[in-house]
Amino acid sequence: MNISLEALHILDVIDRQGSFAAAALTLNRVPSALTYSVRKLEEDLDVLLFDRRGHRARLTPAGKELLTEGRHLLLAADALEQRVKRTATGRESELRVVLNSIVPFQNMVPLIARFDREETGTRLRFTHGVLAGAWEALIDGRADLVIGVTHDGPEITRTSGQFQTRPLGAIEWAFAVAPTHPLAEAEEPLPPELIRQYRAVAVGDNSQNLPSLTIGLLTGQDTLTVASVADKLEAQLAGLGCGHLPSSWAAPYLASGALIEKRTLLGKPHDTFLIAWRKGDRGKSLKWFLNQLAEPEIQGMLLGTSASNNGDAECRSAKAAGAREKKI
């Protein structure tokens, strides 16, 4: 067979990094070695895989077809490797965790430190997923555990019987605007017709293939779409738009006056977030995290609803305010 998994992996990294040089750095190899591997594959297949004109390495139609199908093989090979290692040791070589941006990574740090003390040998890989994007990572086999998904997942997660979920906890929301925003002085409760006149700040769904989800937006409302809840908070602090924020995120800024909470006729429901994983994929490290995530103390820490997290948020608010004053 002319196509090897190593060759597919090289093509995948070059495509993701955009150049042979950047891919070589990622793979800790010299660019000439990657160039040789690709040319050897092109000769074996008698096709051109990359259009080398310009600074960015671009796949030809044949290269795109090879890589599209090849990525399925890479995922299958990785899954096979994980199963073999779990069978041998009961421990995953790597645990891939997707965090909804509603869960700040800094809230995960104490849990990671606790896991490190177990000395399992399992590497942890964290990425972010928003709305359907978090579910997509689990469905596509790019995640072993997703923390902070919503009930409004794609139908396959509810009907296929392949996935399991468990409540993580509820989030309360506050509709907040900067003191300079026109809605700051508006009479309460704010009707939807009035809110619709002003731009909303929304965290964008980062799904690539599943239908995108939207939450809390009014029909016809102008929208500033950002990548994370942290970005949404910054945009609303700057008066760039309005919208609901997690109460735990907004609390210190409401207390300092950097944000103003407004009552609305159509309040945002208190959402319950979930953790999700694929049935049958329960190595020892995944089981450890599932046991930890069943503890109310851990749930409160991740969602920012515990007293200690509120204190940390106030400290971060003070630091952020100081940084803004220095910039001014």
Side-chain angles (χ1 to χ4, degrees):
M1 179 177 288
N2 294 325
I3 303 173
S4 67
L5 290 175
E6 180 184 12
L8 291 174
H9 180 55
I10 289 172
L11 292 182
D12 179 53
V13 176
I14 294 172
D15 182 58
R16 293 182 189 278
Q17 296 299 323
S19 71
F20 282 69
L25 287 173
T26 300
L27 295 171
N28 196 27
R29 298 173 66 175
V30 296
S32 59
L34 269 61
T35 300
Y36 173 80
S37 296
V38 172
R39 285 180 175 168
K40 180 67 167 58
L41 182 58
E42 288 178 326
E43 290 173 2
D44 290 342
L45 297 176
D46 194 25
V47 297
L48 188 65
L49 299 175
F50 280 99
D51 182 348
R52 293 171 173 80
R53 294 173 296 179
H55 296 292
R56 184 177 177 87
R58 298 185 182 277
L59 289 166
T60 63
K64 289 180 181 178
E65 179 66 20
L66 175 62
L67 187 53
T68 297
E69 297 301 319
R71 280 173 172 154
H72 295 307
L73 294 176
L74 290 172
L75 285 172
D78 181 65
L80 175 59
E81 180 183 349
Q82 295 290 337
R83 289 197 299 272
V84 170
K85 291 182 177 180
R86 275 200 297 270
T87 301
T89 67
R91 286 285 183 188
E92 304 90 331
S93 61
E94 181 178 75
L95 189 68
R96 300 160 299 175
V97 182
V98 170
L99 283 181
N100 187 320
S101 68
I102 202 77
V103 180
F105 181 76
Q106 61 197 5
N107 291 2
M108 283 293 306
V109 170
L111 188 57
I112 296 171
R114 186 181 298 184
F115 179 74
D116 286 346
R117 291 194 289 271
E118 299 288 318
E119 298 183 348
T120 65
T122 298
R123 299 187 304 271
L124 299 178
R125 180 185 295 271
F126 284 86
T127 54
H128 285 290
V130 182
L131 297 172
W135 283 111
E136 185 177 79
L138 186 63
I139 294 168
D140 290 351
R142 292 181 283 110
D144 305 300
L145 173 66
V146 182
I147 300 176
V149 290
T150 66
H151 283 290
D152 299 318
E155 185 178 359
I156 186 175
T157 62
R158 300 188 298 271
T159 60
S160 67
Q162 300 178 36
F163 305 95
Q164 193 163 344
T165 62
R166 181 193 300 162
L168 177 65
I171 289 286
E172 295 185 357
W173 301 87
F175 187 88
V177 295
T180 56
H181 193 278
L183 289 177
E185 301 297 329
E187 184 177 346
E188 301 176 89
L190 304 180
E193 310 84 60
L194 177 61
I195 297 173
R196 188 180 288 111
Q197 297 176 26
Y198 299 96
R199 183 168 65 179
V201 183
V203 182
D205 190 314
N206 67 350
S207 168
Q208 298 297 310
N209 299 307
L210 293 174
S212 297
L213 298 174
T214 58
I215 297 177
L217 294 179
L218 298 172
T219 303
Q221 188 175 18
D222 185 22
T223 306
L224 170 64
T225 303
V226 297
S228 68
V229 176
D231 294 343
K232 175 177 168 65
L233 173 61
E234 287 299 322
Q236 290 184 219
L237 283 168
L240 300 180
C242 60
H244 287 90
L245 289 165
S247 294
S248 59
W249 290 63
Y253 301 98
L254 296 173
S256 68
L259 287 174
I260 296 175
E261 182 174 6
K262 303 293 288 186
R263 290 184 296 109
T264 64
L265 282 176
L266 296 177
K268 188 178 179 72
H270 296 177
D271 289 327
T272 297
F273 287 84
L274 312 170
I275 60 172
W277 65 97
R278 187 180 290 271
K279 289 183 178 179
D281 291 349
R282 297 189 65 173
K284 290 182 179 178
S285 294
L286 176 58
K287 288 180 181 178
W288 186 92
F289 272 94
L290 292 178
N291 289 335
Q292 295 293 312
L293 292 169
E295 297 293 329
E297 176 188 357
I298 299 297
Q299 296 172 355
M301 177 182 73
L302 296 184
L303 293 178
T305 55
S306 64
S308 60
N309 278 84
N310 291 336
D312 291 342
E314 290 175 4
C315 179
R316 292 193 298 272
S317 174
K319 291 180 179 178
R324 278 191 286 272
E325 287 176 3
K326 288 180 182 178
K327 289 180 182 179
I328 293 172

